[in-house]
Amino acid sequence: MLSEEHIQTLKSRLRGELIEPGSAEYDVARKVYNGMIDRHPRLIARCRDVADVITAVNFARDNDLLLAIRGGGHNAGGLGVCDDGLVIDLSRMKGIRVDPEARTVRVEGGCVWGDVDHATHAFGLATPCGFISTTGVAGLTLGGGIGHLTRRCGLTVDNLLEADLVLADGSFVTVSAEKSPDLYWAIRGGGGNFGVVTSFLFRLHPIDTVYAGPMFWELEQAADMMRWYRDFITRAPEELNGFFAFLVVPPGPPFPEHLHNRTVCGIVWCYTGPMEQAETTFEPIRSFKTPLLDLVGPLPYPVVQSLFDPIYPPGLQWYWKADFVNELSDEAIALDVKYGSAIPTMHSTVHIYPINGAAHRVGRNETAFSFREATWAQVIVGVDPDPANKDRIIAWAREYWDALHPYSAGGAYVNFMMEEGDDRIKATYRGNYERLVAIKNKYDPTNLFRVNQNIKPSV
Ligand SMILES: Cc1cc2nc3c(=O)[nH]c(=O)nc-3n(C[C@H](O)[C@H](O)[C@H](O)COP(=O)(O)OP(=O)(O)OC[C@H]3O[C@@H](n4cnc5c(N)ncnc54)[C@H](O)[C@@H]3O)c2cc1C
C-alpha cells in the first residue's frame, strides 16, 4: 500500500505534475491514442527533466509499483499506460536541437515525429520516421522505425547515433557505438525493456521537398498491381519508397466525390531523389496501369509525413495484426485481394511496407531488430470511431491474418503487435533473443521495465 506521505514526498521532488485519480486532469492524462484502451494508473508522473525521470524510476522500484513509460502514447496495445501502477509520462519533455553542421538532431523522449520534422525541415534536413506525424519518437525508434525513407536511409534505428537512458537502478548512461555498446545494440529494436530513454541523437539527411503522395487503382486491378509492385519495388532506385495498401477512399477533400467511400488498392509513394528526375522515375509506374487517382507531386517532407493525420485523430478503436513477409506469392496476393476487398469500415486498412534497400545493408545481428532479410512488414488494421464496431474490426483482422500468416516470414515488427505472448516475441527476435535476455539480466534483472513486448530476464 502506498501511503499518502510517500506520495507527497514524490510530489515534492518532481518539477513536473503528479496526477492522481480524482484530479481534474486524470481522465485526459490516462488516455492513449487507441480508444480501445481504458487503463487506470495509480499515479502519472509528468516528468519535466531527467531528474524527474530518475526520481520516478526510483519511486516505482522502491515501492514495487508496476511501471509504464509513455512516449507518444501511440502503441496499439496500450503499452504506454498501465492499471494501478506508475506511468512516467514524457509528454512535457519536448526539447529539440538541430546541429546543421554535424547534420544531427538531439530529441527529448516526449517528442512526436511532427515536432522533429518541423525542427529539421527549417534546415532542409530529415531523419527516417514513420507515416503519421503524431506517433511518438521514443516507441517508434526503440522498436525499429519503418517509414517513407526506409529504402534510402534505413530504419530509424540505423540513424540513431546516441541515446541517454535512466536504468532500473536509477543510474544515468549515454549509449553509443563506443559507450555501453551492449545497451546501444539492445535499444535498436529491443523496445523499452532496458530503461527510460530521455533523449535520442539522430543522423540527418538532406531531404527537403519530395515527390510524393497516393495513387489509387480499381479493386479489379489489385492482383495485377500487387504482382507488378512486388517486382518493381525491390529493384527501384532506393530514393523511391512506396507502400501498397487496400483502403476505403475517405469521403472528403482532396479526394473527388465519385471516389468517396469506394474500396480501392493504392500505393503511397515518396521519392527523395533529384526533382528533375522525378517524372522519369514515375513514368513506368504511371504507364503500367493508369491510376484511378494520382495525387503524386512535389511536397515539403513534413506535409507528406502528416498527410494521414486528419483521417486518424486520437481516440479511434484500433486492432492490429502483423507479420514480416519475404515473398509475396501469387497465393498470398489472392488472399490479400480477398480480404483487402472486404475492408469492414472506412478507417480500416492493410499496408505492406517495404523494408528493403538500405535497411538490408545492416546485418541481422548488428542491431536487436532481427528481420533484416524480410522484404516487407505487413500490417492489417481494423479501425473505427464507434466502439460498437469493435468486434467487427477485430474479427476481420484476425480472419485475414489467420489466412495469410502461413505465407509470412515468421515474426512480426514489434511495434505492430498487440498482446501476442512470449512465443511471438521470441519468433520476432529469433537469434538475437538470447543476447537480449543476457543484457536484460545485467541491467534490469527484476524486470522493472515490463510494460512492453517483454524480454524476460532469466536470473
Ligand atoms: C497511427 C499509427 C501509425 C503508425 N505508423 C508507424 C510507422 O509508420 N512506422 C513505424 O515504425 N511504426 C508506426 N506505428 C507504430 C508505432 O511505432 C508504435 O505504436 C510505437 O510503440 C509508438 O510509440 P509511442 O512512443 O507513441 O508509444 P507509447 O505508447 O508511448 O509507448 C510504446 C512503447 O514504447 C515504450 N516507450 C515509450 N517511450 C519510451 C521511452 N522514452 N523510453 C523507453 N521506452 C519507451 C513504452 O514502454 C511502450 O512499451 C504507428 C502507430 C500508429 C498508432
mmCIF file of all heavy atoms in Angstrom, residues 1-42:
data_model
loop_
_atom_site.group_PDB
_atom_site.id
_atom_site.type_symbol
_atom_site.label_atom_id
_atom_site.label_comp_id
_atom_site.label_asym_id
_atom_site.label_seq_id
_atom_site.Cartn_x
_atom_site.Cartn_y
_atom_site.Cartn_z
ATOM 1 N N MET A 1 0.841 -1.214 0.000
ATOM 2 C CA MET A 1 0.000 0.000 0.000
ATOM 3 C C MET A 1 0.872 1.259 0.000
ATOM 4 O O MET A 1 1.805 1.378 0.789
ATOM 5 C CB MET A 1 -0.879 0.013 1.262
ATOM 6 C CG MET A 1 -2.131 -0.825 1.142
ATOM 7 S SD MET A 1 -3.298 -0.130 -0.041
ATOM 8 C CE MET A 1 -3.916 1.263 0.901
ATOM 9 N N LEU A 2 0.525 2.176 -0.859
ATOM 10 C CA LEU A 2 1.260 3.438 -0.910
ATOM 11 C C LEU A 2 0.678 4.401 0.112
ATOM 12 O O LEU A 2 -0.529 4.650 0.115
ATOM 13 C CB LEU A 2 1.045 4.080 -2.282
ATOM 14 C CG LEU A 2 2.017 3.775 -3.401
ATOM 15 C CD1 LEU A 2 1.642 4.585 -4.612
ATOM 16 C CD2 LEU A 2 3.448 4.062 -2.972
ATOM 17 N N SER A 3 1.514 4.946 0.978
ATOM 18 C CA SER A 3 0.971 5.890 1.961
ATOM 19 C C SER A 3 0.894 7.286 1.337
ATOM 20 O O SER A 3 1.614 7.608 0.395
ATOM 21 C CB SER A 3 1.856 5.918 3.197
ATOM 22 O OG SER A 3 3.066 6.582 2.864
ATOM 23 N N GLU A 4 0.000 8.103 1.911
ATOM 24 C CA GLU A 4 -0.144 9.480 1.458
ATOM 25 C C GLU A 4 1.188 10.229 1.606
ATOM 26 O O GLU A 4 1.553 11.071 0.777
ATOM 27 C CB GLU A 4 -1.275 10.152 2.272
ATOM 28 C CG GLU A 4 -1.761 11.481 1.728
ATOM 29 C CD GLU A 4 -2.060 11.474 0.217
ATOM 30 O OE1 GLU A 4 -2.596 10.464 -0.294
ATOM 31 O OE2 GLU A 4 -1.737 12.479 -0.436
ATOM 32 N N GLU A 5 1.914 9.869 2.661
ATOM 33 C CA GLU A 5 3.198 10.521 2.915
ATOM 34 C C GLU A 5 4.196 10.248 1.772
ATOM 35 O O GLU A 5 4.881 11.140 1.287
ATOM 36 C CB GLU A 5 3.750 9.974 4.230
ATOM 37 C CG GLU A 5 4.915 10.760 4.766
ATOM 38 C CD GLU A 5 5.534 10.037 5.970
ATOM 39 O OE1 GLU A 5 4.823 9.241 6.615
ATOM 40 O OE2 GLU A 5 6.722 10.260 6.217
ATOM 41 N N HIS A 6 4.215 8.975 1.333
ATOM 42 C CA HIS A 6 5.093 8.610 0.200
ATOM 43 C C HIS A 6 4.751 9.433 -1.030
ATOM 44 O O HIS A 6 5.628 9.926 -1.729
ATOM 45 C CB HIS A 6 4.878 7.127 -0.152
ATOM 46 C CG HIS A 6 5.735 6.202 0.622
ATOM 47 N ND1 HIS A 6 5.260 5.497 1.688
ATOM 48 C CD2 HIS A 6 7.031 5.858 0.476
ATOM 49 C CE1 HIS A 6 6.234 4.741 2.166
ATOM 50 N NE2 HIS A 6 7.321 4.954 1.453
ATOM 51 N N ILE A 7 3.454 9.533 -1.279
ATOM 52 C CA ILE A 7 3.010 10.243 -2.489
ATOM 53 C C ILE A 7 3.375 11.726 -2.394
ATOM 54 O O ILE A 7 3.862 12.317 -3.361
ATOM 55 C CB ILE A 7 1.492 10.033 -2.707
ATOM 56 C CG1 ILE A 7 1.248 8.556 -3.058
ATOM 57 C CG2 ILE A 7 0.961 10.928 -3.823
ATOM 58 C CD1 ILE A 7 -0.187 8.129 -3.069
ATOM 59 N N GLN A 8 3.189 12.288 -1.224
ATOM 60 C CA GLN A 8 3.527 13.712 -1.041
ATOM 61 C C GLN A 8 5.037 13.928 -1.211
ATOM 62 O O GLN A 8 5.462 14.934 -1.780
ATOM 63 C CB GLN A 8 3.070 14.207 0.346
ATOM 64 C CG GLN A 8 1.567 14.412 0.465
ATOM 65 C CD GLN A 8 0.971 15.218 -0.697
ATOM 66 O OE1 GLN A 8 1.537 16.203 -1.158
ATOM 67 N NE2 GLN A 8 -0.184 14.767 -1.192
ATOM 68 N N THR A 9 5.829 12.991 -0.729
ATOM 69 C CA THR A 9 7.286 13.114 -0.895
ATOM 70 C C THR A 9 7.644 13.102 -2.378
ATOM 71 O O THR A 9 8.440 13.908 -2.857
ATOM 72 C CB THR A 9 8.001 11.957 -0.172
ATOM 73 O OG1 THR A 9 7.531 11.929 1.158
ATOM 74 C CG2 THR A 9 9.504 12.119 -0.193
ATOM 75 N N LEU A 10 7.017 12.162 -3.125
ATOM 76 C CA LEU A 10 7.296 12.100 -4.568
ATOM 77 C C LEU A 10 6.923 13.426 -5.228
ATOM 78 O O LEU A 10 7.690 13.988 -6.012
ATOM 79 C CB LEU A 10 6.512 10.937 -5.196
ATOM 80 C CG LEU A 10 6.557 10.836 -6.721
ATOM 81 C CD1 LEU A 10 7.997 10.604 -7.220
ATOM 82 C CD2 LEU A 10 5.664 9.698 -7.230
ATOM 83 N N LYS A 11 5.746 13.919 -4.883
ATOM 84 C CA LYS A 11 5.246 15.167 -5.475
ATOM 85 C C LYS A 11 6.256 16.308 -5.245
ATOM 86 O O LYS A 11 6.565 17.076 -6.148
ATOM 87 C CB LYS A 11 3.900 15.515 -4.823
ATOM 88 C CG LYS A 11 3.019 16.398 -5.665
ATOM 89 C CD LYS A 11 1.682 16.605 -4.975
ATOM 90 C CE LYS A 11 0.554 16.092 -5.821
ATOM 91 N NZ LYS A 11 -0.750 16.171 -5.247
ATOM 92 N N SER A 12 6.760 16.373 -4.032
ATOM 93 C CA SER A 12 7.649 17.491 -3.691
ATOM 94 C C SER A 12 8.993 17.383 -4.416
ATOM 95 O O SER A 12 9.699 18.364 -4.574
ATOM 96 C CB SER A 12 7.878 17.537 -2.176
ATOM 97 O OG SER A 12 8.652 16.408 -1.811
ATOM 98 N N ARG A 13 9.328 16.190 -4.889
ATOM 99 C CA ARG A 13 10.630 16.017 -5.553
ATOM 100 C C ARG A 13 10.552 16.245 -7.062
ATOM 101 O O ARG A 13 11.579 16.268 -7.741
ATOM 102 C CB ARG A 13 11.159 14.609 -5.301
ATOM 103 C CG ARG A 13 11.647 14.461 -3.883
ATOM 104 C CD ARG A 13 12.247 13.101 -3.647
ATOM 105 N NE ARG A 13 12.651 12.992 -2.254
ATOM 106 C CZ ARG A 13 12.827 11.855 -1.625
ATOM 107 N NH1 ARG A 13 12.634 10.720 -2.238
ATOM 108 N NH2 ARG A 13 13.196 11.860 -0.361
ATOM 109 N N LEU A 14 9.332 16.309 -7.594
ATOM 110 C CA LEU A 14 9.184 16.443 -9.052
ATOM 111 C C LEU A 14 9.037 17.904 -9.459
ATOM 112 O O LEU A 14 8.318 18.660 -8.803
ATOM 113 C CB LEU A 14 7.935 15.690 -9.531
ATOM 114 C CG LEU A 14 7.919 14.167 -9.408
ATOM 115 C CD1 LEU A 14 6.541 13.625 -9.811
ATOM 116 C CD2 LEU A 14 8.994 13.527 -10.281
ATOM 117 N N ARG A 15 9.659 18.283 -10.561
ATOM 118 C CA ARG A 15 9.382 19.583 -11.192
ATOM 119 C C ARG A 15 8.041 19.513 -11.941
ATOM 120 O O ARG A 15 7.328 20.484 -12.065
ATOM 121 C CB ARG A 15 10.485 19.910 -12.205
ATOM 122 C CG ARG A 15 11.695 20.554 -11.617
ATOM 123 C CD ARG A 15 11.457 22.042 -11.422
ATOM 124 N NE ARG A 15 12.455 22.611 -10.553
ATOM 125 C CZ ARG A 15 13.420 23.432 -10.964
ATOM 126 N NH1 ARG A 15 13.498 23.780 -12.214
ATOM 127 N NH2 ARG A 15 14.283 23.911 -10.095
ATOM 128 N N GLY A 16 7.756 18.314 -12.516
ATOM 129 C CA GLY A 16 6.507 18.139 -13.251
ATOM 130 C C GLY A 16 5.351 17.789 -12.320
ATOM 131 O O GLY A 16 5.527 17.652 -11.110
ATOM 132 N N GLU A 17 4.156 17.599 -12.913
ATOM 133 C CA GLU A 17 2.965 17.314 -12.101
ATOM 134 C C GLU A 17 2.875 15.820 -11.752
ATOM 135 O O GLU A 17 3.321 14.975 -12.518
ATOM 136 C CB GLU A 17 1.659 17.649 -12.847
ATOM 137 C CG GLU A 17 1.584 18.999 -13.484
ATOM 138 C CD GLU A 17 1.934 18.949 -14.963
ATOM 139 O OE1 GLU A 17 3.130 18.737 -15.270
ATOM 140 O OE2 GLU A 17 1.041 19.132 -15.783
ATOM 141 N N LEU A 18 2.265 15.546 -10.619
ATOM 142 C CA LEU A 18 1.924 14.169 -10.263
ATOM 143 C C LEU A 18 0.397 14.099 -10.292
ATOM 144 O O LEU A 18 -0.279 14.798 -9.529
ATOM 145 C CB LEU A 18 2.465 13.819 -8.878
ATOM 146 C CG LEU A 18 2.309 12.347 -8.509
ATOM 147 C CD1 LEU A 18 3.184 11.454 -9.392
ATOM 148 C CD2 LEU A 18 2.687 12.106 -7.047
ATOM 149 N N ILE A 19 -0.112 13.282 -11.184
ATOM 150 C CA ILE A 19 -1.566 13.248 -11.393
ATOM 151 C C ILE A 19 -2.135 11.976 -10.766
ATOM 152 O O ILE A 19 -1.647 10.870 -11.004
ATOM 153 C CB ILE A 19 -1.879 13.315 -12.906
ATOM 154 C CG1 ILE A 19 -1.262 14.602 -13.498
ATOM 155 C CG2 ILE A 19 -3.377 13.262 -13.171
ATOM 156 C CD1 ILE A 19 -1.222 14.637 -14.997
ATOM 157 N N GLU A 20 -3.197 12.159 -9.962
ATOM 158 C CA GLU A 20 -3.795 11.027 -9.249
ATOM 159 C C GLU A 20 -5.265 10.877 -9.650
ATOM 160 O O GLU A 20 -5.876 11.842 -10.120
ATOM 161 C CB GLU A 20 -3.740 11.282 -7.743
ATOM 162 C CG GLU A 20 -2.362 11.272 -7.172
ATOM 163 C CD GLU A 20 -2.419 11.402 -5.661
ATOM 164 O OE1 GLU A 20 -2.864 10.453 -5.004
ATOM 165 O OE2 GLU A 20 -2.053 12.473 -5.157
ATOM 166 N N PRO A 21 -5.856 9.683 -9.420
ATOM 167 C CA PRO A 21 -7.289 9.526 -9.682
ATOM 168 C C PRO A 21 -8.048 10.604 -8.907
ATOM 169 O O PRO A 21 -7.709 10.914 -7.774
ATOM 170 C CB PRO A 21 -7.605 8.130 -9.128
ATOM 171 C CG PRO A 21 -6.299 7.414 -9.119
ATOM 172 C CD PRO A 21 -5.235 8.445 -8.912
ATOM 173 N N GLY A 22 -9.034 11.177 -9.528
ATOM 174 C CA GLY A 22 -9.812 12.217 -8.850
ATOM 175 C C GLY A 22 -9.366 13.620 -9.236
ATOM 176 O O GLY A 22 -10.123 14.569 -9.114
ATOM 177 N N SER A 23 -8.112 13.746 -9.751
ATOM 178 C CA SER A 23 -7.684 15.089 -10.146
ATOM 179 C C SER A 23 -8.317 15.424 -11.505
ATOM 180 O O SER A 23 -8.662 14.529 -12.288
ATOM 181 C CB SER A 23 -6.165 15.193 -10.199
ATOM 182 O OG SER A 23 -5.707 14.755 -11.459
ATOM 183 N N ALA A 24 -8.454 16.739 -11.759
ATOM 184 C CA ALA A 24 -9.174 17.188 -12.951
ATOM 185 C C ALA A 24 -8.551 16.647 -14.237
ATOM 186 O O ALA A 24 -9.250 16.356 -15.200
ATOM 187 C CB ALA A 24 -9.197 18.717 -12.979
ATOM 188 N N GLU A 25 -7.221 16.484 -14.241
ATOM 189 C CA GLU A 25 -6.542 16.064 -15.489
ATOM 190 C C GLU A 25 -6.499 14.547 -15.671
ATOM 191 O O GLU A 25 -6.088 14.073 -16.722
ATOM 192 C CB GLU A 25 -5.084 16.533 -15.452
ATOM 193 C CG GLU A 25 -4.890 18.021 -15.516
ATOM 194 C CD GLU A 25 -3.590 18.369 -14.826
ATOM 195 O OE1 GLU A 25 -3.525 18.234 -13.584
ATOM 196 O OE2 GLU A 25 -2.648 18.750 -15.522
ATOM 197 N N TYR A 26 -6.892 13.805 -14.631
ATOM 198 C CA TYR A 26 -6.621 12.364 -14.632
ATOM 199 C C TYR A 26 -7.178 11.647 -15.865
ATOM 200 O O TYR A 26 -6.473 10.889 -16.534
ATOM 201 C CB TYR A 26 -7.158 11.740 -13.345
ATOM 202 C CG TYR A 26 -6.930 10.250 -13.247
ATOM 203 C CD1 TYR A 26 -5.665 9.736 -12.957
ATOM 204 C CD2 TYR A 26 -7.976 9.347 -13.453
ATOM 205 C CE1 TYR A 26 -5.442 8.365 -12.866
ATOM 206 C CE2 TYR A 26 -7.764 7.980 -13.362
ATOM 207 C CZ TYR A 26 -6.497 7.488 -13.068
ATOM 208 O OH TYR A 26 -6.284 6.134 -12.989
ATOM 209 N N ASP A 27 -8.453 11.900 -16.184
ATOM 210 C CA ASP A 27 -9.072 11.137 -17.275
ATOM 211 C C ASP A 27 -8.477 11.468 -18.637
ATOM 212 O O ASP A 27 -8.487 10.627 -19.537
ATOM 213 C CB ASP A 27 -10.590 11.322 -17.273
ATOM 214 C CG ASP A 27 -11.230 10.358 -16.281
ATOM 215 O OD1 ASP A 27 -10.669 9.260 -16.090
ATOM 216 O OD2 ASP A 27 -12.256 10.722 -15.678
ATOM 217 N N VAL A 28 -7.976 12.673 -18.792
ATOM 218 C CA VAL A 28 -7.312 13.009 -20.060
ATOM 219 C C VAL A 28 -5.908 12.407 -20.060
ATOM 220 O O VAL A 28 -5.461 11.826 -21.055
ATOM 221 C CB VAL A 28 -7.251 14.546 -20.248
ATOM 222 C CG1 VAL A 28 -6.453 14.909 -21.485
ATOM 223 C CG2 VAL A 28 -8.663 15.124 -20.338
ATOM 224 N N ALA A 29 -5.228 12.508 -18.918
ATOM 225 C CA ALA A 29 -3.828 12.062 -18.854
ATOM 226 C C ALA A 29 -3.689 10.543 -19.011
ATOM 227 O O ALA A 29 -2.660 10.064 -19.470
ATOM 228 C CB ALA A 29 -3.210 12.506 -17.529
ATOM 229 N N ARG A 30 -4.695 9.787 -18.649
ATOM 230 C CA ARG A 30 -4.566 8.322 -18.746
ATOM 231 C C ARG A 30 -4.963 7.791 -20.132
ATOM 232 O O ARG A 30 -4.738 6.633 -20.451
ATOM 233 C CB ARG A 30 -5.389 7.633 -17.649
ATOM 234 C CG ARG A 30 -6.884 7.715 -17.828
ATOM 235 C CD ARG A 30 -7.635 7.087 -16.675
ATOM 236 N NE ARG A 30 -9.073 7.151 -16.914
ATOM 237 C CZ ARG A 30 -9.747 6.264 -17.648
ATOM 238 N NH1 ARG A 30 -9.132 5.246 -18.174
ATOM 239 N NH2 ARG A 30 -11.053 6.407 -17.832
ATOM 240 N N LYS A 31 -5.542 8.676 -20.957
ATOM 241 C CA LYS A 31 -5.952 8.238 -22.307
ATOM 242 C C LYS A 31 -4.750 8.068 -23.217
ATOM 243 O O LYS A 31 -3.830 8.874 -23.186
ATOM 244 C CB LYS A 31 -6.843 9.311 -22.945
ATOM 245 C CG LYS A 31 -8.281 9.188 -22.589
ATOM 246 C CD LYS A 31 -9.158 9.901 -23.619
ATOM 247 C CE LYS A 31 -10.589 9.825 -23.172
ATOM 248 N NZ LYS A 31 -11.167 11.086 -22.814
ATOM 249 N N VAL A 32 -4.789 7.027 -24.043
ATOM 250 C CA VAL A 32 -3.771 6.879 -25.078
ATOM 251 C C VAL A 32 -4.455 6.946 -26.442
ATOM 252 O O VAL A 32 -5.676 7.103 -26.531
ATOM 253 C CB VAL A 32 -2.954 5.569 -24.902
ATOM 254 C CG1 VAL A 32 -2.032 5.660 -23.702
ATOM 255 C CG2 VAL A 32 -3.859 4.358 -24.820
ATOM 256 N N TYR A 33 -3.665 6.823 -27.485
ATOM 257 C CA TYR A 33 -4.168 7.028 -28.856
ATOM 258 C C TYR A 33 -5.284 6.033 -29.231
ATOM 259 O O TYR A 33 -6.267 6.399 -29.849
ATOM 260 C CB TYR A 33 -2.967 6.883 -29.793
ATOM 261 C CG TYR A 33 -3.249 7.150 -31.240
ATOM 262 C CD1 TYR A 33 -3.359 8.446 -31.728
ATOM 263 C CD2 TYR A 33 -3.377 6.099 -32.140
ATOM 264 C CE1 TYR A 33 -3.596 8.690 -33.071
ATOM 265 C CE2 TYR A 33 -3.605 6.328 -33.485
ATOM 266 C CZ TYR A 33 -3.713 7.626 -33.935
ATOM 267 O OH TYR A 33 -3.950 7.856 -35.273
ATOM 268 N N ASN A 34 -5.109 4.759 -28.833
ATOM 269 C CA ASN A 34 -6.102 3.729 -29.149
ATOM 270 C C ASN A 34 -7.274 3.832 -28.171
ATOM 271 O O ASN A 34 -7.116 3.564 -26.970
ATOM 272 C CB ASN A 34 -5.455 2.335 -29.066
ATOM 273 C CG ASN A 34 -6.410 1.231 -29.499
ATOM 274 O OD1 ASN A 34 -7.589 1.479 -29.779
ATOM 275 N ND2 ASN A 34 -5.899 0.011 -29.547
ATOM 276 N N GLY A 35 -8.454 4.180 -28.683
ATOM 277 C CA GLY A 35 -9.634 4.347 -27.837
ATOM 278 C C GLY A 35 -10.110 3.056 -27.186
ATOM 279 O O GLY A 35 -10.953 3.076 -26.289
ATOM 280 N N MET A 36 -9.581 1.902 -27.636
ATOM 281 C CA MET A 36 -9.969 0.618 -27.025
ATOM 282 C C MET A 36 -9.334 0.443 -25.651
ATOM 283 O O MET A 36 -9.734 -0.410 -24.868
ATOM 284 C CB MET A 36 -9.464 -0.532 -27.903
ATOM 285 C CG MET A 36 -10.519 -1.244 -28.679
ATOM 286 S SD MET A 36 -9.756 -2.623 -29.550
ATOM 287 C CE MET A 36 -10.654 -2.535 -31.081
ATOM 288 N N ILE A 37 -8.277 1.202 -25.388
ATOM 289 C CA ILE A 37 -7.512 1.025 -24.144
ATOM 290 C C ILE A 37 -8.098 1.928 -23.063
ATOM 291 O O ILE A 37 -8.243 3.134 -23.249
ATOM 292 C CB ILE A 37 -6.022 1.396 -24.363
ATOM 293 C CG1 ILE A 37 -5.429 0.677 -25.581
ATOM 294 C CG2 ILE A 37 -5.201 1.169 -23.092
ATOM 295 C CD1 ILE A 37 -5.300 -0.815 -25.476
ATOM 296 N N ASP A 38 -8.422 1.316 -21.907
ATOM 297 C CA ASP A 38 -9.057 2.080 -20.822
ATOM 298 C C ASP A 38 -8.406 1.653 -19.493
ATOM 299 O O ASP A 38 -8.958 0.857 -18.750
ATOM 300 C CB ASP A 38 -10.562 1.761 -20.841
ATOM 301 C CG ASP A 38 -11.305 2.513 -19.754
ATOM 302 O OD1 ASP A 38 -10.834 3.596 -19.355
ATOM 303 O OD2 ASP A 38 -12.354 2.011 -19.305
ATOM 304 N N ARG A 39 -7.204 2.187 -19.244
ATOM 305 C CA ARG A 39 -6.475 1.743 -18.046
ATOM 306 C C ARG A 39 -6.446 2.860 -17.007
ATOM 307 O O ARG A 39 -6.504 4.041 -17.338
ATOM 308 C CB ARG A 39 -5.050 1.322 -18.410
ATOM 309 C CG ARG A 39 -5.088 0.190 -19.404
ATOM 310 C CD ARG A 39 -3.877 -0.689 -19.421
ATOM 311 N NE ARG A 39 -4.170 -1.790 -20.340
ATOM 312 C CZ ARG A 39 -3.462 -2.098 -21.414
ATOM 313 N NH1 ARG A 39 -2.343 -1.454 -21.669
ATOM 314 N NH2 ARG A 39 -3.832 -3.086 -22.200
ATOM 315 N N HIS A 40 -6.346 2.427 -15.748
ATOM 316 C CA HIS A 40 -6.412 3.362 -14.612
ATOM 317 C C HIS A 40 -5.156 3.263 -13.756
ATOM 318 O O HIS A 40 -5.110 2.485 -12.795
ATOM 319 C CB HIS A 40 -7.644 3.040 -13.745
ATOM 320 C CG HIS A 40 -8.932 3.315 -14.445
ATOM 321 N ND1 HIS A 40 -9.462 2.469 -15.384
ATOM 322 C CD2 HIS A 40 -9.778 4.371 -14.352
ATOM 323 C CE1 HIS A 40 -10.587 2.985 -15.852
ATOM 324 N NE2 HIS A 40 -10.800 4.134 -15.241
ATOM 325 N N PRO A 41 -4.131 4.051 -14.091
ATOM 326 C CA PRO A 41 -2.920 4.006 -13.261
ATOM 327 C C PRO A 41 -3.154 4.613 -11.887
ATOM 328 O O PRO A 41 -4.065 5.430 -11.703
ATOM 329 C CB PRO A 41 -1.906 4.833 -14.050
ATOM 330 C CG PRO A 41 -2.679 5.595 -15.061
ATOM 331 C CD PRO A 41 -4.015 4.966 -15.232
ATOM 332 N N ARG A 42 -2.314 4.231 -10.920
ATOM 333 C CA ARG A 42 -2.401 4.805 -9.578
ATOM 334 C C ARG A 42 -1.831 6.226 -9.581
ATOM 335 O O ARG A 42 -2.351 7.114 -8.924
ATOM 336 C CB ARG A 42 -1.627 3.892 -8.601
ATOM 337 C CG ARG A 42 -1.500 4.404 -7.182
ATOM 338 C CD ARG A 42 -2.862 4.388 -6.500
ATOM 339 N NE ARG A 42 -2.826 5.010 -5.184
ATOM 340 C CZ ARG A 42 -2.945 6.322 -4.973
ATOM 341 N NH1 ARG A 42 -3.082 7.162 -5.977
ATOM 342 N NH2 ARG A 42 -2.949 6.794 -3.756
#
